[in-house]
Amino acid sequence: MTVTTTLFEQIEKDYILAYKAKDSVRLTVLRLLKTAVKNRLVDMRRPGGSLTDEEMLDVIVKEGKQRQDSIEQYTAAQRPDLADKEAAELVVLKEYLPKALGQEELQALIESTVAELGATSPKDMGRVISAIMAGHKGQVDGKVLSEAVKKRLQS
């Protein structure tokens, strides 16, 4: 018999471990993540409930995007100290996301999705992107995917 833990349970366990180890960066990230989860539950009108792993991935991806945006803004504002802090937090968040697809895997996925949907022009770009994002949540960066699909459908 195997016992599987949900993503939320894993984050709870890691939070306790980080607290005991006095790992301030991990502790901060996990505390913010737990708060984001509670906010999401309130938004979904399920306070006191729990999120599915897929809903947890949505929250983690959103938090990761916020960190990425902050890194870009801090770098542009010549604040490497704050950018480094956000980068360290992003590393922790990425530990909870599925492994990102490589360039070759992404190209193969785009080709198969384009063929499957019969996409022929840039007008079909939205359908291709949504199909890929739905099946590979957290594994694909939206900006990279958008550029690759655009390039593929224009050729």
Side-chain angles (χ1 to χ4, degrees):
M1 182 171 130
T2 60
V3 177
T4 58
T5 59
T6 65
L7 197 49
F8 184 75
E9 291 168 343
Q10 185 62 46
I11 288 170
E12 285 288 333
K13 288 177 187 175
D14 291 349
Y15 176 80
I16 292 168
L17 291 173
Y19 184 79
K20 289 178 180 177
K22 295 181 175 41
D23 183 347
S24 62
V25 173
R26 182 174 299 278
L27 189 62
T28 301
V29 171
L30 295 178
R31 185 177 290 138
L32 290 171
L33 194 54
K34 287 173 56 167
T35 301
V37 167
K38 286 181 182 173
N39 290 338
R40 178 69 188 259
L41 285 168
V42 169
D43 290 345
M44 296 172 76
R45 302 190 190 281
R46 290 191 299 193
S50 63
L51 296 178
T52 64
D53 278 355
E54 189 169 317
E55 291 167 335
M56 279 296 300
L57 278 178
D58 287 340
V59 173
I60 296 169
V61 166
K62 182 179 176 190
E63 290 292 313
K65 284 181 184 175
Q66 288 177 348
R67 298 304 185 290
Q68 193 62 48
D69 290 344
S70 296
I71 291 169
E72 291 169 10
Q73 290 173 3
Y74 288 142
T75 303
Q78 306 283 319
R79 292 296 309 263
D81 54 329
L82 296 175
D84 291 345
K85 177 183 172 282
E86 294 289 329
E89 291 180 3
L90 184 59
V91 168
V92 174
L93 286 172
K94 284 184 177 182
E95 291 175 16
Y96 297 99
L97 293 173
K99 182 182 173 289
L101 295 177
Q103 193 63 30
E104 297 83 24
E105 294 170 306
L106 183 61
Q107 288 303 324
L109 182 60
I110 291 170
E111 289 301 325
S112 66
T113 306
V114 165
E116 182 181 314
L117 296 175
T120 55
S121 70
K123 286 189 239 176
D124 300 319
M125 196 169 139
R127 289 188 316 138
V128 173
I129 291 173
S130 352
I132 292 173
M133 291 299 279
H136 296 84
K137 192 171 294 202
Q139 293 180 300
V140 181
D141 181 312
K143 291 178 185 176
V144 173
L145 177 62
S146 177
E147 287 297 317
V149 170
K150 184 177 181 181
K151 183 177 168 184
R152 164 60 180 87
L153 292 175
Q154 285 178 346
S155 57

